[in-house]
Amino acid sequence: MPDSARRPGAHPHRRLLWLLVIQVLALCLFINALVDVAIRRSPYIGDRGSGAVAQCQQVEPLFPKQETPELAQMDDYISSSGFLNKTVARMAGAIKIPTQSYDDLGPVGEDKRWDVLFDFAAYLQKTFPLTHSTLKLEKVNTHGLLYTWQGSDENLKPTVFMGHQDVVPVAESTVDQWTHPPFGGYFDGRFIWGRGSMDCKNNVIGILEAVELLIDAGFTPKRTLVLSFGFDEEIGGGHGARNLAKALVSRYGKDGAAVIVDEGAGTSTAWGSTFALPGVAEKGAIDVEIILRMPGGHSSVPPAHNGIGVMSELITLIEANPYEPHLHSENPFLSLLQCGAAHSPEFPPKLKKLLPSHDGGAFSKKDKLALEAAKAGDLVKYLFTTSVAPDIISGGVKSNALPERTRVLVDHRVNVGDRSSDVKEKLTKLAENIAEKHNLTVHAFNDEPETPRSIKLNVAYEALEPAPVTPTSVDGVTPYSVLSGTTRALYGEQLLVAPGIMTGNTDTRYYWDLSAHIFRYGPGWDPEQEGLEGIHTVNEKLSISAHVKGVQWYSLFIRNMDEADVA
């Protein structure tokens, strides 16, 4: 799940443990900070109000109407020890193939490190024979796997499942820190250990398990099912998902898919309730390169402020002017707060009191609700705040020579409801403040060349605006209502479904034109393993219980979408 470049060859940023980690840890911190500290039991229990409930309607569990003895047998089989043992073996086999994505990979077909993906594709073909004999498989840019299970009704838009074959590399220096080998696929009776077990070979294998079982049970879809598996998501998806998405948009047209489900947020407990949190939005991203030019000279005769000093002053000014928390009406975290107020017995009363300030999207310049919610900590705050982080700095070439050129790269993750242009405007003003003080010229986001005494601002890589927010209406039959109903059918009506938000970016960034209904959701849930211990680091492991639940969810969702009155 990358937090990295937005095009091939772009600089990889430090990977935060986001997606499920952000969702789970943020909500856990929310409980600790706003419930345990502020109040343990809300006085509003039993008085949550019909208005709040109306803003967070929960759909009834949705079960497929079509039932045959073979499908019933399939459902029983998925819950059996026989299936568990077989899917453990298949997951282990997938983990044993080290499909690592490296930041410095060369072009596909030239860099031999891509070739391990041939082994993975061959493994899938051997492991899921019915899928490969029934579905049409196309290779996109050599390693992108595009499966099509053609439906009988061409008037129905397809369901699209996504996943990625690649994994984050394992550093040689960390191998001996693993409890079990990172590419061993060891099963201890509860967890499967290894790189990619949670990110996200479990999704790829889980989807294929569901399809294989449905074929074996004699299911034939009315609605076309598409499986789109990229191969470089961990380094930005520019070779894989970008080309897969182009192929699908070319085939089905703009908004040509009914729904897309990719990896993403999962399930978490908060405020005395359990929430499934399908990601319906992603923050944007823009990296800004700041280049400061000042006269050089011998360092034995320095000016009062040289280039490094002035750049340090600018960085200090940037950090002293952070973005304020702001919950725009379209931000899914606002919907989550409304769901908590409507259904959760331990929802903090102060937040409940402030929620009406956002009714109709109107609030004062200071967003009191966002400011109060942000007190839970940074993992919560940055779900509705543009982040700014100077990540890379360089300047100077010799100990006795004054720096003539100093460079810093500043990473921003743009709040849902804001634009990358807001970042440009703010940085320009801050740079102009420093430039006026030190008699420098500002060249901001234009084609003007660097000049000897100047501050130049450039967009370092392709800026990414916040993702379009997926509709979450449950009036009538909608993709969100089908997803919600499927989830509650699997886990019970005590589970609440609320919109989630991603602070990082998945391969779905390339699929915006294919469907307005994009969900970033990991459906497998083990109540005893909330969180993603080991993701992108040592001891990554997968709960086999969660994996089996994921297979059940995919099989149910395919059938529910097949029957849904959605074009």
Side-chain angles (χ1 to χ4, degrees):
M1 291 173 274
D3 197 15
S4 59
R6 286 164 290 282
R7 62 173 176 80
H11 167 71
H13 305 296
R14 294 193 304 267
R15 300 288 305 261
L16 299 178
L17 303 186
W18 48 273
L19 300 177
L20 280 171
V21 173
I22 288 292
Q23 298 291 333
V24 172
L25 294 183
L27 286 171
C28 289
L29 284 176
F30 220 42
I31 297 171
N32 292 335
L34 297 177
V35 178
D36 293 340
V37 175
I39 186 167
R40 290 199 175 268
R41 289 281 171 181
S42 167
Y44 292 86
I45 294 175
D47 185 28
R48 293 190 279 277
S50 60
V53 173
Q55 291 177 311
C56 184
Q57 296 180 52
Q58 296 297 305
V59 304
E60 293 297 316
L62 181 63
F63 296 93
K65 294 184 178 66
Q66 179 190 357
E67 190 62 89
T68 66
E70 292 79 9
L71 287 170
Q73 186 178 9
M74 178 198 76
D75 290 335
D76 291 339
Y77 175 64
I78 296 176
S79 300
S80 71
S81 59
F83 175 72
L84 185 147
N85 292 333
K86 289 186 177 180
T87 196
V88 164
R90 288 188 278 260
M91 268 298 302
I95 291 168
K96 289 176 182 178
I97 303 172
T99 53
Q100 300 174 95
S101 276
Y102 299 95
D103 295 328
D104 61 348
L105 277 165
V108 175
E110 296 180 16
D111 193 322
K112 295 299 182 183
R113 289 176 293 177
W114 294 110
D115 290 354
V116 67
L117 290 159
F118 288 121
D119 297 334
F120 191 72
Y123 173 77
L124 296 181
Q125 184 169 1
K126 176 184 176 181
T127 305
F128 300 101
L130 293 178
T131 300
H132 285 79
S133 63
T134 304
L135 278 64
K136 178 183 178 182
L137 172 60
E138 301 166 84
K139 304 288 183 69
V140 177
N141 196 17
T142 306
H143 298 298
L145 303 180
L146 185 59
Y147 296 86
T148 303
W149 195 0
Q150 187 62 46
S152 60
D153 189 343
E154 294 186 358
N155 293 317
L156 297 177
K157 294 180 180 180
T159 294
V160 178
F161 286 154
M162 294 174 58
H164 61 89
Q165 306 165 63
D166 60 313
V167 301
V168 168
V170 175
E172 285 294 327
S173 60
T174 67
V175 170
D176 61 356
Q177 298 175 32
W178 285 70
T179 302
H180 302 287
F183 295 107
Y186 180 81
F187 180 55
D188 65 5
R190 181 181 173 193
F191 297 102
I192 304 172
W193 297 68
R195 176 62 81 235
S197 58
M198 296 191 78
D199 181 15
C200 72
K201 287 182 176 177
N202 56 321
N203 289 2
V204 172
I205 298 300
I207 291 166
L208 291 172
E209 291 275 24
V211 170
E212 190 85 358
L213 289 165
L214 285 169
I215 296 170
D216 189 52
F219 175 80
T220 55
K222 290 188 299 182
R223 185 185 301 274
T224 296
L225 176 68
V226 174
L227 316 180
S228 184
F229 299 148
F231 59 89
D232 63 337
E233 193 266 358
E234 299 293 359
I235 56 172
H239 297 286
R242 185 192 297 268
N243 290 296
L244 286 161
K246 286 180 180 178
L248 288 171
V249 172
S250 175
R251 180 169 302 168
Y252 296 108
K254 183 174 174 60
D255 295 322
V259 64
I260 299 173
V261 180
D262 192 16
E263 63 173 342
T267 301
S268 182
T269 300
W271 312 310
S273 300
T274 302
F275 293 89
L277 298 167
V280 300
E282 292 182 349
K283 293 177 75 175
I286 178 173
D287 290 326
V288 177
E289 177 187 51
I290 305 175
I291 299 170
L292 189 144
R293 294 288 299 271
M294 292 187 72
H298 201 285
S299 59
S300 63
V301 191
H305 303 284
N306 69 19
I308 290 177
V310 174
M311 180 66 87
S312 299
E313 189 176 350
L314 177 54
I315 292 171
T316 300
L317 185 64
I318 291 170
E319 291 192 334
N321 289 271
Y323 293 81
E324 283 207 351
H326 196 102
L327 272 165
H328 293 277
S329 60
E330 63 265 43
N331 191 308
F333 193 75
L334 179 60
S335 299
L336 176 59
L337 292 176
Q338 291 166 342
C339 284
H343 299 287
S344 299
E346 298 175 7
F347 190 76
K350 192 166 185 180
L351 288 176
K352 180 188 285 282
K353 182 179 179 180
L354 289 168
L355 265 173
S357 67
H358 279 253
D359 287 349
F363 48 85
S364 61
K365 186 175 181 181
K366 287 284 185 181
D367 189 340
K368 294 180 181 179
L369 176 63
L371 290 169
E372 180 64 25
K375 291 178 181 179
D378 287 347
L379 286 173
V380 172
K381 180 178 74 174
Y382 286 116
L383 295 174
F384 44 86
T385 307
T386 295
S387 63
V388 53
D391 282 338
I392 299 174
I393 189 168
S394 61
V397 294
K398 200 172 187 298
S399 63
N400 62 352
L402 297 171
E404 296 175 304
R405 189 177 190 270
T406 307
R407 175 185 180 272
V408 68
L409 189 73
V410 186
D411 175 78
H412 301 78
R413 299 307 163 111
V414 184
N415 190 20
V416 173
D418 291 337
R419 305 289 293 175
S420 63
S421 57
D422 300 326
V423 171
K424 294 179 183 179
E425 181 180 352
K426 182 171 183 175
L427 275 181
T428 299
K429 290 179 178 178
L430 295 176
E432 287 172 345
N433 184 301
I434 297 298
E436 182 179 359
K437 180 178 178 180
H438 295 284
N439 193 26
L440 303 172
T441 301
V442 174
H443 306 295
F445 307 104
N446 55 39
D447 295 330
E448 296 174 359
E450 298 174 26
T451 53
R453 294 187 60 89
S454 68
I455 300 175
K456 182 161 178 58
L457 306 177
N458 302 312
V459 176
Y461 314 113
E462 182 181 353
L464 184 69
E465 299 299 337
V469 179
T470 298
T472 55
S473 169
V474 293
D475 293 334
V477 180
T478 67
Y480 182 73
S481 74
V482 176
L483 183 145
S484 299
T486 301
T487 303
R488 300 187 86 210
L490 181 61
Y491 294 112
E493 293 185 61
Q494 74 280 1
L495 181 78
L496 303 171
V497 182
I501 180 174
M502 319 299 293
T503 57
N505 306 112
T506 62
D507 269 347
T508 59
R509 75 185 80 177
Y510 301 109
Y511 287 71
W512 296 352
D513 284 345
L514 186 61
S515 179
H517 303 278
I518 299 176
F519 301 99
R520 304 139 183 103
Y521 181 48
W525 175 51
D526 179 352
E528 297 182 12
Q529 192 204 17
E530 285 195 357
L532 287 181
E533 181 183 353
I535 187 173
H536 287 197
T537 186
V538 300
N539 288 337
E540 182 179 350
K541 62 183 185 291
L542 169 70
S543 161
I544 189 59
S545 173
H547 179 62
V548 170
K549 286 292 186 182
V551 175
Q552 290 177 307
W553 188 92
Y554 289 122
S555 67
L556 285 172
F557 188 76
I558 292 169
R559 294 164 64 191
N560 280 335
M561 278 301 298
D562 207 60
E563 297 175 4
D565 187 17
V566 176

